[in-house]
Amino acid sequence: MSFAKPFWRPADAQAVLFDWDGVIAQTRLDFTSIREKYFGGKRVMLLEEGAKLPPPLRDELMRELDEIETQGASSCTSIAGAREILGELRERRIATAVISRNSAESIRLAASRMGDLRLPEIVLGRNDCPYVKPDPRVFHEVVSRLGVSPSECVYVGDYLYDLMAARRCGFRGVLVERTEPAWDVWHDAAFPTLQDFYSAFISGRTFVAWEYRELAGRIGEEALRRRFARCLKVPEHPVPSLACWLHEAAAQGAGTLAVSRERLLDPELWKANPVFTPESMGLALHEAVARHFRLRYPFLSVRPLDELSDSA
């Protein structure tokens, strides 16, 4: 089942992916000693900044990270609701995975220490992919393995990196086990606990999609529903520009944009609308527009005009 656009329900997802520490397991990791030893106490992104160190220091840092994570795994506990949500997803045959900046070895060790906590088949730690979150390419790797669409996936995390990654790859981002008002602009939904997310999942609770949240706040959810049902034909000579017209239509909640199949994003049109990437030049305009909006408005449909005419 797909999301009831422009609204979404966690229970309608094709896949629900999770961070590990602080979301499924409580390992109480403390990297203060590493920050002080290698970075003068600064709160840097340890993996990214550690990769820039000379090889001997980099290797030493990674060994210390492994030691801290192993110690945390040895005494970890499961987060309330973790077994329930993972079990419910298995029962409904919704794909799952764990994507973490921790090592996969420490994750599996922690799961074994927690007894009956059954991990998803895909557990991707920092050593299992050339990239780590919030780099979206690690998420692209997982959705490729699962064979699902990013726009109908949910990522559940407890930190800003998780929400950043979800936004960058077109997932629905859910914050749990953390209350941070400054992060509200990043997530699609937030819950004080994972157990609360599980309750929302079971009840079939519906949320306004992130990209329409402010619009729904101004015009109301029913008006948003009506607007999203509209199909707008892209004019031949929009004012003030094609890019401005398209972005205004999307921002105002149009659900479908129709473009003449014959129109191309030729060099002249691209020069006048440089928001499109050069890689889109020469494509049918409806394809170029669909690519352009894929992450910012993943629910938006861009169709050739004749397809819509034929189906009418």
Side-chain angles (χ1 to χ4, degrees), residues 21-305:
D21 188 37
V23 175
I24 301 297
Q26 185 58 267
T27 55
R28 298 176 178 84
L29 302 180
D30 185 355
F31 299 117
T32 301
S33 61
I34 290 181
R35 290 193 172 91
E36 291 178 348
K37 180 177 179 179
Y38 296 95
F39 305 107
K42 296 179 181 177
R43 290 192 60 83
V44 299
M45 299 175 76
L46 292 179
L47 299 180
E48 290 81 353
E49 294 304 313
K52 300 175 185 178
L53 296 174
L57 280 179
R58 182 178 65 231
D59 295 342
E60 183 180 343
L61 181 150
M62 295 308 298
R63 283 195 297 271
E64 292 185 23
L65 279 178
D66 287 339
E67 290 173 3
I68 290 174
E69 290 175 3
T70 298
Q71 291 171 2
S74 300
S75 59
C76 72
T77 57
S78 63
I79 299 290
R83 288 176 170 83
E84 291 82 354
I85 186 62
L86 290 173
E88 186 69 24
L89 290 166
R90 283 196 301 272
E91 185 174 330
R92 298 192 188 198
R93 298 185 178 180
I94 296 174
T96 60
V98 168
I99 303 177
S100 176
R101 290 169 65 91
N102 294 8
S103 70
E105 291 77 12
S106 69
I107 292 171
R108 292 191 174 92
L109 174 60
S112 69
R113 297 296 171 88
M114 287 188 285
D116 61 344
L117 190 136
R118 180 178 167 187
L119 286 172
E121 290 187 10
I122 296 179
V123 175
L124 214 62
R126 64 168 174 267
N127 301 320
D128 303 312
C129 183
Y131 318 103
V132 292
K133 65 179 182 182
D135 190 315
R137 287 173 289 187
V138 66
F139 287 79
H140 297 161
E141 169 72 17
V142 172
V143 296
S144 176
R145 291 192 197 181
L146 294 175
V148 295
S149 167
S151 65
E152 296 190 347
C153 294
V154 174
Y155 187 63
V156 183
D158 71 328
Y159 194 63
L160 181 60
Y161 295 166
D162 304 316
L163 304 178
M164 290 172 63
R167 290 273 71 84
R168 288 175 176 179
C169 62
F171 282 38
R172 296 297 160 195
V174 172
L175 179 67
V176 298
E177 300 290 329
R178 187 80 69 104
T179 300
E180 291 287 351
W183 298 352
D184 288 351
V185 296
W186 289 94
H187 62 65
D188 288 271
F191 302 90
T193 68
L194 182 66
Q195 187 73 54
D196 292 323
F197 171 69
Y198 171 67
S199 298
F201 184 95
I202 291 296
S203 67
R205 185 175 168 187
T206 299
F207 300 88
V208 178
W210 172 83
E211 58 270 23
Y212 301 111
R213 185 187 299 161
E214 293 181 1
L215 179 62
R218 293 197 304 270
I219 68 175
E221 293 187 8
E222 187 54 40
L224 173 60
R225 196 185 308 273
R226 290 194 299 269
R227 286 194 183 186
F228 194 81
R230 296 182 305 175
C231 174
L232 300 183
K233 179 182 177 182
V234 178
E236 289 292 326
H237 303 288
V239 176
S241 70
L242 174 63
C244 289
W245 188 94
L246 290 169
H247 279 271
E248 182 66 14
Q252 293 304 312
T256 303
L257 300 178
V259 187
S260 171
R261 186 183 293 274
E262 289 72 29
R263 294 185 70 181
L264 299 178
L265 184 62
D266 58 36
E268 290 303 318
L269 187 57
W270 178 78
K271 287 178 182 179
N273 298 274
V275 296
F276 294 104
T277 63
E279 290 84 356
S280 295
M281 291 173 62
L283 291 179
L285 185 57
H286 67 86
E287 294 180 10
V289 173
R291 287 189 182 190
H292 178 68
F293 283 121
R294 182 184 58 191
L295 296 181
R296 180 65 177 84
Y297 292 97
F299 285 168
L300 178 64
S301 175
V302 184
R303 306 275 299 280
L305 184 59

